[in-house]
Amino acid sequence: MAWPIFALCLSTQVELSAQRTPPSQHEEGAPAVVLEDVEVLARRGSARISAEREFNGSAIDNLAAYDIAEVVRRVSERIGDHEPPVILINGRKVADPSIFTGFPPDAMVRLEVLPPQAAAMYGEASNRRVMNLVLEQHFRSATLQTGGSRPVSGGTSSIQTDLRRSVLADQSASFIGAQATIGTALRAGERSGYTLGQPGGDLTTLRPQTQLFSANLGFNRPLGEWSSSLRMDVRSMESRATTNVADQLLAYRNRSDALTVQAGLNGDLAGWTTQTSVNLGLARSEQIGLSDSRQRVESVGVDAQGSRRLLSLPVGEVLANLSTNFSASRTAAEGAAIDGQNGATARPEATLGDGRPAPGYGRDDQDPIGRLVRIQLSRRF
């Protein structure tokens, strides 16, 4: 028999500080300087191609998003895009865009949605849209978000807390954060009709007690014309429950811990726009109670890609894209090593044109692949 559960939810968000670095006193008081014969060709942070659609500060505020990542998701929904977009920061590709997307929306000056042909210009698949995030030159913030819930009829309760500290200085960014979620158990005695008359049945759990703690930090730093990034995430989750086995209560526990490290580097090399990332992972899990088991998983992955313009034709530019990846993992259960999975894939690709349809090609003007030719090879070993 299903019983409705009514819950009262309380949440609050506290903005400890979120401010743009104010201009210096000299800048405020200095008179405007008029320069003759100077022509401004582009705004700060503009991409190689003009935006198809632009969201300014007011439009971004109207989205009521918690962070830049949520802004990107909501803009993608508005334009009907179902693929993850390619993210540019101030008109340039960076090693790890997620370093920047954790900032509050106040750090954004504008968001530019580039036309479909921009994906090929930046060495990406033509079915992905490109969004250029133009950020404040200097920004820092500290945010605290917390919330909780409790059913009015009794039962499981939960509380969540998210703390972040972020600093932005042009193309350099850093953040540190911590998250915690705690939920109490829901026991059979708190819901009528679930005990079934078993001894101690009112103490069995319908939903386990859970605890989740995580911490993360990361930074992005320019190295001349190159960009480097490092991100680290630590996560620990534990659940406790009680079940009835042969008229006896039996408590059991599940726990999992994980550490992931991601490092990235991108820039131009010998005419190629390159991007490389290295991913390391370590995970451990155990179950104690019903049946004891332990497992440990180690993994490593390397991804590299490069793109360059080969030549220009009347129909557009010929672009070459190369990508390769390698991955390996090792699993040990109860001290016994299990063969892991190892693999590598190389994928060269040639793209003709910039993604826009050409007149007379029999394509609709809105078709983004009217002049796209791919040559793709792959091998796994």
Side-chain angles (χ1 to χ4, degrees):
M1 179 177 182
W3 291 84
I5 300 177
F6 301 93
L8 292 178
C9 298
L10 301 175
S11 65
T12 181
Q13 179 172 329
V14 182
E15 186 83 8
L16 300 181
S17 67
Q19 59 185 13
R20 299 175 176 87
T21 303
S24 65
Q25 186 175 2
H26 174 73
E27 293 174 340
E28 292 180 346
V33 178
V34 179
L35 301 177
E36 298 181 358
D37 300 328
V38 175
E39 182 179 1
V40 179
L41 300 178
R43 293 181 294 174
R44 185 185 71 85
S46 296
R48 301 177 190 169
I49 185 172
S50 299
E52 180 182 76
R53 188 172 180 182
E54 181 177 307
F55 293 78
N56 58 20
S58 299
I60 293 172
D61 291 340
N62 291 336
L63 295 175
Y66 176 61
D67 55 18
I68 294 179
E70 188 174 352
V71 172
V72 172
R73 286 195 298 270
R74 296 191 178 187
V75 170
S76 297
E77 293 172 356
R78 289 197 173 191
I79 65 177
D81 188 19
H82 303 292
E83 294 290 332
V86 179
I87 299 297
L88 306 179
I89 302 298
N90 298 327
R92 300 174 59 183
K93 295 184 72 172
V94 295
D96 186 358
S98 67
I99 302 292
F100 296 86
T101 55
F103 278 80
D106 290 342
M108 299 184 66
V109 176
R110 66 184 186 275
L111 184 150
E112 299 175 346
V113 181
L114 305 187
Q117 62 267 26
M121 296 179 63
Y122 287 96
E124 300 289 343
S126 61
N127 63 335
R128 299 181 64 186
R129 296 302 296 266
V130 181
M131 294 187 185
N132 180 31
L133 311 182
V134 182
L135 308 180
E136 295 285 350
Q137 284 187 298
H138 300 281
F139 183 89
R140 59 181 59 202
S141 70
T143 58
L144 172 64
Q145 186 181 49
T146 183
S149 64
R150 171 75 179 177
V152 295
S153 61
T156 182
S157 304
S158 65
I159 185 171
Q160 307 89 29
T161 301
D162 187 348
L163 176 63
R164 302 186 190 183
R165 168 68 172 169
S166 307
V167 178
L168 173 65
D170 201 10
Q171 293 292 113
S172 297
S174 61
F175 77 92
I176 185 171
Q179 302 79 36
T181 301
I182 299 176
T184 62
L186 174 62
R187 302 191 180 279
E190 296 174 304
R191 293 291 181 264
S192 176
Y194 279 91
T195 59
L196 302 178
Q198 297 176 339
D202 56 339
L203 297 179
T204 59
T205 52
L206 304 178
R207 181 180 297 173
Q209 172 189 347
T210 59
Q211 294 181 346
L212 172 62
F213 300 99
S214 60
N216 41 65
L217 61 89
F219 68 82
N220 186 92
R221 292 288 185 272
L223 300 174
E225 295 298 320
W226 289 63
S227 173
S228 63
S229 69
L230 178 67
R231 182 186 180 102
M232 181 181 299
D233 296 273
V234 180
R235 176 187 176 98
S236 179
M237 181 175 181
E238 182 177 278
S239 64
R240 296 175 178 269
T242 304
T243 187
N244 192 305
V245 178
D247 294 336
Q248 292 185 351
L249 291 179
L250 177 63
Y252 61 95
R253 175 174 65 93
N254 292 302
R255 175 167 180 157
S256 61
D257 303 300
L259 168 66
T260 58
V261 179
Q262 180 178 6
L265 183 68
N266 79 302
D268 294 333
L269 179 63
W272 288 83
T273 298
T274 63
Q275 183 166 347
T276 304
S277 63
V278 179
N279 301 277
L280 304 175
L282 175 62
R284 181 181 61 185
S285 62
E286 65 176 1
Q287 177 177 300
I288 300 177
L290 291 175
S291 60
D292 295 352
S293 64
R294 292 177 177 83
Q295 181 172 279
R296 177 188 177 95
V297 179
E298 302 170 353
S299 62
V300 59
V302 179
D303 296 278
Q305 63 180 18
S307 64
R308 69 173 298 170
R309 301 178 184 180
L310 297 181
L311 62 132
S312 296
L313 299 176
V315 296
E317 296 176 334
V318 177
L319 307 175
N321 299 320
L322 299 175
S323 63
T324 183
N325 66 74
F326 170 81
S327 61
S329 64
R330 181 178 182 274
T331 302
E334 293 290 347
I338 300 176
D339 292 338
Q341 296 182 349
N342 301 287
T345 301
R347 203 168 272 166
E349 177 182 283
T351 304
L352 174 63
D354 55 7
R356 292 178 297 178
Y361 272 43
R363 297 280 187 173
D364 184 81
D365 288 342
Q366 302 299 320
D367 188 349
I369 60 172
R371 288 160 40 188
L372 191 65
V373 177
R374 291 173 179 262
I375 302 172
Q376 185 166 298
L377 302 173
S378 63
R379 181 182 179 185
R380 186 174 180 85
F381 54 87

